[in-house]
Amino acid sequence: TDTTLLKADSDAFLFMFEEEKLARDTYIFLGNLWSINQFNNIKNSEQTHMNAIENLLKKYKINYTILPVGEFENQDLQNYYNQFIKDGSISKTNALQIGATIEDLDIVDLQEFIQVSKSSDLIMVFDNLQCGSRNHLRSFMKGIVNLGDSYTPQFLTEEAFNLIINSDNEQCN
């Protein structure tokens, strides 16, 4: 197998590894706080996402560290985490909004990496993670709507967001 990888792809793996960890760690916190099914189910899925990227980090011999829950090397992701647990602690509605926000962000970041990469490994794995994130977004939206609230996309375009939430869950992999 070809184990050469562009620095941009290597950086993408490391960044998305931490961004999936951001999702997992936030959902662990909010799940413990609110006992909302979505968080308890999706946090396991985020661990699976982390494992998928970790396999690539190992394959390409990219050095990485997994910091303790709630700790991030990337300062932007650390700032997001700190804000998410603060805002998500206010109410169940807020917590679900945070879940939708994370998936919204995830889908867009994955798409940006997919568009510029030539690595078939990156494209395949990130496509799959994106599929999972779309399902997660649908799941959080159900919770938000059930609580009589709505969510406005912050990263996705309104059009892309509506396409996702108005379509059925997908089989990923």
Side-chain angles (χ1 to χ4, degrees):
T1 54
D2 181 22
T3 54
T4 56
L5 198 66
L6 293 171
K7 172 128 178 36
D9 291 326
S10 161
D11 290 347
F13 289 152
L14 289 166
F15 179 78
M16 285 312 305
F17 186 63
E18 267 214 322
E19 191 168 290
E20 298 296 343
K21 181 182 181 298
L22 168 67
R24 184 201 66 181
D25 293 1
T26 303
Y27 300 165
I28 289 170
F29 178 88
L30 295 175
N32 290 339
L33 188 65
W34 297 112
S35 302
I36 296 172
N37 283 343
Q38 277 95 329
F39 293 119
N40 297 323
N41 296 337
I42 296 174
K43 73 174 185 218
N44 299 327
S45 182
E46 298 302 342
Q47 181 63 60
T48 306
H49 288 191
M50 285 176 69
N51 297 346
I53 300 175
E54 190 172 15
N55 291 338
L56 293 173
L57 293 171
K58 287 175 177 163
K59 174 179 177 177
Y60 290 104
K61 300 177 174 55
I62 301 165
N63 284 328
Y64 67 98
T65 49
I66 304 176
L67 295 176
V69 171
E71 292 179 30
F72 303 87
E73 287 186 6
N74 181 296
Q75 192 55 51
D76 292 334
L77 296 179
Q78 186 67 61
N79 295 343
Y80 271 133
Y81 178 80
N82 298 344
Q83 194 63 50
F84 288 160
I85 63 167
K86 193 173 137 214
D87 294 346
S89 297
I90 296 168
S91 67
K92 279 189 173 185
T93 303
N94 268 39
L96 288 165
Q97 293 277 348
I98 297 298
T101 302
I102 289 174
E103 301 303 336
D104 181 355
L105 174 67
D106 241 13
I107 292 165
V108 169
D109 283 347
L110 287 163
Q111 189 58 40
E112 286 173 359
F113 289 127
I114 289 166
Q115 280 170 335
V116 298
S117 181
K118 302 272 186 287
S119 161
S120 57
D121 275 349
L122 181 147
I123 293 165
M124 189 180 69
V125 170
F126 283 19
D127 266 338
N128 190 36
L129 298 184
Q130 220 185 15
C131 177
S133 288
R134 288 191 297 268
N135 285 341
H136 299 164
L137 180 58
R138 292 180 187 106
S139 180
F140 284 125
M141 285 307 301
K142 281 191 185 87
I144 289 168
V145 170
N146 286 344
L147 290 177
D149 200 9
S150 62
Y151 172 78
T152 304
Q154 297 172 57
F155 305 98
L156 284 160
T157 64
E158 193 78 42
E159 185 184 16
F161 172 77
N162 288 330
L163 268 175
I164 293 168
I165 61 164
N166 294 322
S167 56
D168 294 329
N169 263 9
E170 301 164 68
Q171 281 299 316
C172 305
N173 284 326

